[in-house]
Amino acid sequence: MIQSNMAPMGMAVTPHHLASESALAVLREGGNALEAMVAAAATIAVVYPHMNGLGGDGFWLVVPPGGDPIAIDASGAAGSLAHPDFYHGESHIPHRGPKAALTVAGTVSGWQEALTLAQELGATPLPLSRLLRDAIRYAADGIPVTASQAAATAAKQHELQHQPGFAATFLPDGAPPTAGSRFTQPALAQTLSVLSEQGLESFYRGELAHHLAREMGALGMPITLDDLHRQRARRCTPLHLAHSEGDIWNMTPPTQGLVSLAILGITDRLAMADASEAQTVHRIVEATKQAFALRDQHITDPRHMAIDVQSLLNADHLGTLAAQVQDDRAAPWGTGRGPGDTVWMGVMDSSGLAVSFIQSIYHEFGSGVVLPGTGITWQNRGAAFSLQPDHLLTLAPGKQPFHTLNPAAARLKDGRTLVYGSMGGDGQPQTQAAIFTRYVIQGQPLQQAVSAPRWLLGRTWGQSSDSLKLEARIAPETVQQLRALGHEVELLAEYSEVVGHAGAIVRHNNGMLEGAFDPRSNGSAAGF
């Protein structure tokens, strides 16, 4: 049996151990979970630069002890120059280059909103310089390159090496860095130092904002200084699922939080407790197909939606969807929404405050554009827009793009509080369903629920096929049974990043904290 990490006072789970330690150090110094998460977010932006950064977006799900959960949407909208005419003659928005870098980066605004919320919840604030200290040091002095970064750089070198700033930043000596080599980011260290000294607001409304706007204009990105001025993270009420095991929350549109909750709402009606491995995978996959259909029909910028998304999670509707799941055959399947490079992180503190958080630049290295003099890699989240005039995701200035990002949290009827999540585009809601089902419903130990073989229906980062992909550790008889049900099965490596980097933290009734990290990542569950 795989044992989980336990702690009484505070815990952090991230996909890179240095980010976990940054969060833990803040908790030890009396910071709360929100402050610890800002420190972790800054560090992970430096040490996992292929998956997230200051030029991306973030989403927060905050669960105060005994209080109502609070969501923070720190995603940016399309720039004021980003209209279909800007892409004249093109059938779709490119995934790389300045034209792919068309949305404002929202993540730093989320850090600011989280720190504001921390004070509202009674925290005595730690200095911002303390929260960013580790990140600045790692950017200036260097970090050992992870195998994940080395592999991503080598795989994407051919399509990114000519993008502005990419080679100078990510190809030291003109080649992808090797795992374990020292990797420094002096320009990013300087940018973080400016934020530390002048405040996070300077990213949008200070000297740094003016510098960013000048560089974006020179590169031909459709984002202006006024667009930066307008960016503010917003708080919202998260989506809620009334599950037989308790209350589950996830992020509102423009994210696919609906998908994660709908899968669990459907499978809650499918007798999962005693299901075999093959039945578990089949039922979750079939529920995923139903949930993706909901997503593709409805989810976009919430200001452009005609339906109350919460209504799609009512018991009658979920019962209708569950009744369409057939235990003896796989339903037809179309296509997914594609890849998404992301980091999920969780923190809980001694007061019981819990944070589930996601930060992303979308594809590996985002747009591939690194703004001169800043070290900031800009996201390509706007590639999710469509150039078709009547499409749900039609591009318009000021419109939020569709997001796969969706941090999750739950309060179980037995008193446990759980935060959990994963990176991985289409795979995020599937991995969330796997972890929740294994741990909460089937009673597996938390670390085993995260480490056990997983699957992916559709595409994620580095993949182009929409088959059902299974890690090779999955039992051969399970593979046979799934194929017999009509699933188009592909086998992955035994531990594959394709199924995402997941993690979870549980607060038990006795106040003990239990964490699980993903062995597919460079992460840790760190507590004290």
Side-chain angles (χ1 to χ4, degrees):
M1 180 182 295
I2 301 173
Q3 297 297 318
S4 294
N5 298 282
M6 300 290 288
M9 299 298 291
M11 178 162 279
V13 172
T14 83
H16 197 292
H17 62 94
L18 292 178
S20 301
E21 293 299 327
S22 290
L24 199 64
V26 168
L27 293 175
R28 287 183 183 276
E29 294 175 27
N32 74 5
L34 286 157
E35 293 174 304
M37 187 61 85
V38 169
T43 292
I44 201 81
V46 174
V47 301
Y48 248 23
H50 54 308
M51 291 190 174
N52 79 118
L54 276 63
D57 286 336
F59 294 93
W60 301 68
L61 186 52
V62 182
V63 185
D68 293 332
I70 302 161
I72 299 175
D73 177 348
S75 64
S80 55
L81 304 180
H83 47 76
D85 288 347
F86 183 77
Y87 299 92
H88 180 71
E90 301 187 51
S91 60
H92 63 276
I93 295 170
H95 284 86
R96 306 293 195 183
K99 285 192 170 184
L102 70 147
T103 59
V104 174
T107 199
V108 174
S109 70
W111 298 0
Q112 179 63 59
E113 187 63 22
L115 294 178
T116 300
L117 177 58
Q119 292 190 53
E120 292 175 11
L121 294 175
T124 301
L126 291 175
L128 180 62
S129 58
R130 171 61 192 91
L131 302 183
L132 303 187
R133 185 175 72 195
D134 288 357
I136 293 169
R137 179 190 167 196
Y138 295 140
D141 295 345
I143 47 105
V145 172
T146 61
S148 178
Q149 180 184 340
T153 310
K156 300 300 175 181
Q157 177 185 4
H158 67 286
E159 65 180 89
L160 295 175
Q161 61 188 351
H162 300 301
Q163 296 302 339
F166 182 85
T169 305
F170 293 111
L171 300 176
D173 303 318
T178 57
S181 62
R182 181 189 290 263
F183 180 68
T184 60
Q185 301 169 82
L188 184 58
Q190 178 60 32
T191 296
L192 288 164
S193 295
V194 169
L195 291 173
S196 175
E197 295 163 5
Q198 300 182 10
L200 298 175
E201 283 285 316
S202 64
F203 192 96
Y204 303 100
R205 287 166 281 278
E207 292 178 18
L208 180 57
H210 284 267
H211 178 78
L212 294 175
R214 284 195 300 271
E215 297 298 344
M216 289 190 290
L219 291 174
M221 292 165 55
I223 304 171
T224 68
L225 182 61
D226 284 344
D227 296 328
L228 292 174
H229 287 345
R230 280 191 286 268
Q231 173 60 32
R232 284 176 172 80
R234 64 181 183 89
R235 297 185 200 178
C236 49
T237 301
L239 295 178
H240 169 252
L241 174 68
H243 191 276
S244 62
E245 296 289 339
D247 296 301
I248 312 175
W249 295 279
N250 213 301
M251 200 67 207
T252 54
T255 83
Q256 64 175 350
L258 168 69
V259 175
S260 295
L261 295 180
I263 293 171
L264 291 175
I266 293 168
T267 55
D268 196 24
R269 292 154 171 81
L270 299 179
M272 301 298 289
D274 299 319
S276 67
E277 185 176 51
Q279 288 172 325
T280 297
V281 175
H282 173 73
R283 290 170 185 170
I284 293 177
V285 166
E286 295 306 292
T288 297
K289 294 174 183 177
Q290 301 270 13
F292 279 172
L294 286 181
R295 175 192 72 182
D296 295 345
Q297 183 179 353
H298 298 292
I299 301 300
T300 185
D301 184 323
R303 295 168 299 177
H304 293 253
M305 293 178 61
I307 191 171
D308 175 12
V309 176
Q310 183 63 53
S311 69
L312 299 174
L313 295 169
N314 69 50
D316 289 344
H317 186 245
L318 292 172
T320 298
L321 296 177
Q324 297 173 30
V325 173
Q326 296 179 290
D327 240 10
D328 60 348
R329 67 173 64 89
W333 163 239
T335 58
R337 282 283 176 82
D341 259 359
T342 306
V343 293
W344 176 87
M345 303 191 291
V347 175
M348 287 192 189
D349 64 26
S350 58
S351 76
L353 179 64
V355 181
S356 184
F357 171 73
I358 279 186
Q359 189 166 270
S360 175
I361 51 175
Y362 198 25
H363 292 188
E364 314 96 315
F365 300 105
S367 66
V369 174
V370 183
L371 294 186
T374 70
I376 297 174
T377 305
W378 212 264
Q379 65 184 351
N380 64 335
R381 182 61 61 174
F385 283 119
S386 171
L387 295 178
Q388 303 304 311
D390 298 322
H391 196 281
L392 181 68
L393 303 179
T394 297
L395 173 65
K399 185 176 180 180
Q400 286 181 288
F402 167 79
H403 276 271
T404 52
L405 313 179
N406 63 113
R411 278 200 192 113
L412 306 180
K413 289 181 177 178
D414 62 11
R416 288 175 290 174
T417 299
L418 170 68
V419 292
Y420 61 107
S422 175
M423 60 83 103
D426 280 350
Q428 286 186 42
Q430 301 178 61
T431 292
Q432 288 185 20
I435 292 170
F436 188 92
T437 300
R438 287 167 170 168
Y439 175 67
V440 177
I441 299 171
Q442 297 177 344
Q444 293 184 20
L446 187 64
Q447 185 64 59
Q448 182 178 324
V450 171
S451 300
R454 292 203 297 267
W455 64 90
L456 171 78
L457 174 71
R459 286 172 285 169
T460 190
W461 67 302
Q463 298 292 310
S464 58
S465 62
D466 285 293
S467 60
L468 176 60
K469 301 168 181 67
L470 306 170
E471 287 188 304
R473 290 177 292 136
I474 212 154
E477 56 268 28
T478 297
V479 176
Q480 285 184 327
Q481 291 170 34
L482 291 169
R483 283 181 169 144
L485 288 168
H487 295 283
E488 180 190 345
V489 172
E490 281 186 61
L491 292 181
L492 302 168
E494 291 190 346
Y495 288 88
S496 174
E497 282 191 312
V498 167
V499 299
H501 296 164
I505 305 177
V506 176
R507 183 180 182 86
H508 292 278
N509 291 334
N510 61 1
M512 293 293 102
L513 302 176
E514 181 180 10
F517 77 99
D518 202 317
R520 303 161 185 85
S521 73
N522 298 93
S524 65
F528 77 103

